[in-house]
Amino acid sequence: RDVPVCHACRRPRPSVRWRRSPVGLLLPMSDDGERCLLEHLPRQHQRTHILIGRAAGMNPSRQADVCPRAVHGDGMDPTVAVVMAGGRGTRLYPAAAPDRPKQFRRIAGDSPLLERTVARARGLAEETVVLTRPAYAAQVRRRVDCEVLVEPEPKDTGPALVYASHRLRDRAETMVCLPADHHVGDEAALASGVRRMVDAARTSDALALLGVTARSAATGYGYIDAGSEVDTGLRTVRGFREKPAPAVAASHYERGMLWNAGIFAWQPAAFLDACENTALEPLVERLESGQPEPFATIPSTSVDEAVLERADPVVVAEVAAEWADLGTWDSLASVCEADANGTVIDGDALTIDTEDCVISTDDTHHVATIGVSDLVVAAYDGRVLVLPRSATERVREVWKAVHG
C-alpha cells in the first residue's frame, strides 16, 4: 500500500481525515480522531492542509484553542523575496567590473540597481534576502539593510537557487526570486503578476514564472510559449525558447509568445523536489546531508535549463508592463527617453548631428559626439567603450580580454 505524502513537501505523513473536534472545529485529525495533525506539521505546511479542507467544502475557521499558529496565516511562515545579485554583468563593460558589478551602478535611474530591486522586493514579500557570490557579500551588506545569503561558489542561477531554497525551506512558505538588474516602469502591474505567481505557488506544487507581454521582436530575451488558462491570469507553459535570431524572434512575437522575465515563485520544498533527475539533484542531496564543499563538481547551469524546462506543473502569470532586463547597452534604448534624433543619453554628454546612439557615463566622464549614428558609447572608471549598437552582445569579448 502506498504511503500518503504531504501535498506541500511530498514527504510521508499520516492519513489526513477532516474531523470535527470536541470544541466543534473542523480540523485535520489522525485516523483515531484523537489529535490535531496541524500541531505536528512543520509550520510551512500547515496552511496547505487548511486549504485542502477548504477545497473539500469545509471551513476550519477557528482553532486558536487547538493550534494557534495556523489561524488564517497568523504566525505562519512568510513569503520571502530573494534578490539575485551574484552576476557580474559582463555585457555592460565598462560600467561592470570584477569588483563592481552592474547591480551596484546607477544605470537608467537615480539609485543603484540593487537598491531599487530591494525596495521593490519589500513591497512584494514579508521578508527580503539578497543572494550573492562571496566576492560581493561585503559590498551588499554595506549597501542594503537586509539579510544576505552567500552562495558557496558562483555557478549560475540553477545552483544558486537550490542553495537559497535549501536555506529558506524551514522558514518560508513561498519564495519569489527577483534578478537585481531589471528596470520596471510599472511597479503596480508587476506586483499584480507577482501576487498571482505567489498565490499559485502557495496553493500547489507548481513552479510559477512571470511572462511579460512582448512589445517587440526582441532578440535579447528568452520567450515563453504559454498555453491554456488554468486560473485567472495564469496559463500553462508549453515550452521555452532561447534568445532567438531576428527572424525567429519575429515569429515568436507574431505568435504572441511572452518575454521570459526570469522572475520565479515556488514553495522551497516543491522546487527541490523538481530538481530530482536533473543536473542539480546531486547538489540537493549534498546540501541535505551536510557535505562540505557541496558545489564541488556541480556544473554551472541556469535554473531554466536545469529545472524549469522539464518540470511539471509550471505556470506563467502574464503582465503587460514596462519592463527591461538591463543586460546590454542597447537595452537602455527601451527604458530611457530618446532625444529628437533618437539618441538616448544616461549621464553627461553633448551630441551634434548624432542619431540613434546610446551614450552612458558615470559622474566623472563627459562624452561629446559629432556626425555619428547607431553607436554605443560608454565611459566609466577611466575606460571608454565604442561599438555599433548591433554588436552589443560582443562586449563579452572585451571583458574577457581586459579581465580574463
Side-chain angles (χ1 to χ4, degrees):
R1 179 181 175 183
D2 292 337
V3 177
V5 295
C6 173
H7 287 75
C9 67
R10 312 303 298 174
R11 292 186 172 88
R13 61 171 172 80
S15 177
V16 169
R17 299 187 186 280
W18 289 82
R19 304 273 179 91
R20 192 170 298 277
S21 75
V23 292
L25 308 179
L26 286 167
L27 299 170
M29 307 296 289
S30 59
D31 282 339
D32 58 11
E34 293 297 324
R35 56 193 175 91
C36 168
L37 291 180
L38 287 175
E39 296 182 65
H40 307 284
L41 290 171
R43 290 179 61 198
Q44 68 268 29
H45 305 326
Q46 293 170 359
R47 187 175 185 274
T48 297
H49 293 286
I50 291 289
L51 292 170
I52 293 169
R54 287 180 181 151
M58 300 175 180
N59 182 28
S61 57
R62 290 182 58 247
Q63 54 187 34
D65 296 334
V66 181
C67 187
R69 296 180 308 186
V71 182
H72 298 304
D74 292 342
M76 294 303 297
D77 292 305
T79 295
V80 176
V82 178
V83 175
M84 298 180 286
R88 297 181 298 176
T90 58
R91 293 175 297 168
L92 279 184
Y93 171 92
D99 61 343
R100 192 172 184 179
K102 64 180 177 181
Q103 56 266 29
F104 297 161
R105 291 285 194 184
R106 290 192 299 271
I107 298 174
D110 296 330
S111 58
L113 289 167
L114 174 63
E115 281 89 324
R116 282 144 60 185
T117 308
V118 168
R120 180 178 308 125
R122 285 175 169 155
L124 299 172
E126 291 86 354
E127 295 182 16
T128 297
V129 302
V130 176
L131 176 66
T132 192
R133 65 175 64 195
Y136 302 155
Q139 291 192 68
V140 170
R141 291 188 176 101
R142 288 196 297 268
R143 290 174 176 274
V144 293
D145 182 19
C146 62
E147 180 181 351
V148 178
L149 294 180
V150 183
E151 55 189 303
E153 294 181 46
K155 290 197 170 182
D156 212 333
T157 56
L161 290 176
V162 167
Y163 179 74
S165 297
H166 172 77
R167 289 286 304 272
L168 295 174
R169 67 176 180 179
D170 290 333
R171 54 181 271 207
E173 185 181 22
T174 52
M175 53 189 278
V176 55
C177 312
L178 306 166
D181 59 353
H182 288 182
H183 168 85
V184 178
D186 189 343
E187 296 283 358
L190 183 103
S192 173
V194 170
R195 282 193 292 269
R196 279 179 273 138
M197 293 166 57
V198 171
D199 286 344
R202 180 182 290 126
T203 57
S204 71
D205 290 333
L207 309 183
L209 320 173
L210 190 73
V212 176
T213 304
R215 302 192 306 273
S216 66
T219 58
Y221 301 141
Y223 285 74
I224 298 172
D225 185 6
S228 58
E229 189 171 65
V230 294
D231 201 347
T232 304
L234 288 171
R235 298 162 67 185
T236 60
V237 173
R238 286 194 295 243
F240 296 84
R241 305 291 185 269
E242 297 299 321
K243 295 176 182 178
V248 178
S251 175
H252 293 347
Y253 179 63
E254 291 171 3
R255 292 176 56 192
M257 290 191 188
L258 309 175
W259 287 340
N260 187 348
I263 296 175
F264 319 113
W266 49 60
Q267 294 179 40
F271 175 71
L272 295 174
D273 282 346
C275 293
E276 187 176 354
N277 298 321
T278 74
L280 296 175
E281 182 177 18
L283 178 57
V284 175
E285 294 174 347
R286 292 177 186 180
L287 289 169
E288 290 185 345
S289 63
Q291 292 186 27
E293 299 184 5
F295 276 47
T297 74
I298 299 297
S300 295
T301 182
S302 72
V303 69
D304 303 71
E305 180 181 2
V307 180
L308 298 177
E309 292 179 2
R310 62 193 74 196
D312 182 45
V314 179
V315 297
V316 59
E318 180 178 359
V319 295
E322 180 189 331
W323 166 91
D325 176 353
L326 297 179
T328 66
W329 286 118
D330 197 45
S331 65
L332 267 65
S334 66
V335 302
C336 297
E337 186 175 355
D339 65 17
N341 294 315
T343 290
V344 167
I345 299 174
D346 183 32
D348 183 11
L350 170 67
T351 61
I352 301 173
D353 296 331
T354 296
E355 297 181 347
D356 301 320
C357 290
V358 173
I359 302 173
S360 184
T361 75
D362 62 15
D363 295 336
T364 65
H365 289 79
H366 170 79
V367 167
T369 60
I370 301 176
V372 297
S373 62
D374 297 303
L375 291 180
V376 168
V377 182
Y380 285 80
D381 296 339
R383 293 188 169 98
V384 177
L385 172 75
V386 182
L387 76 160
R389 283 182 61 175
S390 60
T392 53
E393 292 289 338
R394 296 189 61 187
V395 176
R396 282 196 182 104
E397 299 173 29
V398 181
W399 175 285
K400 185 176 181 180
V402 174
H403 298 303

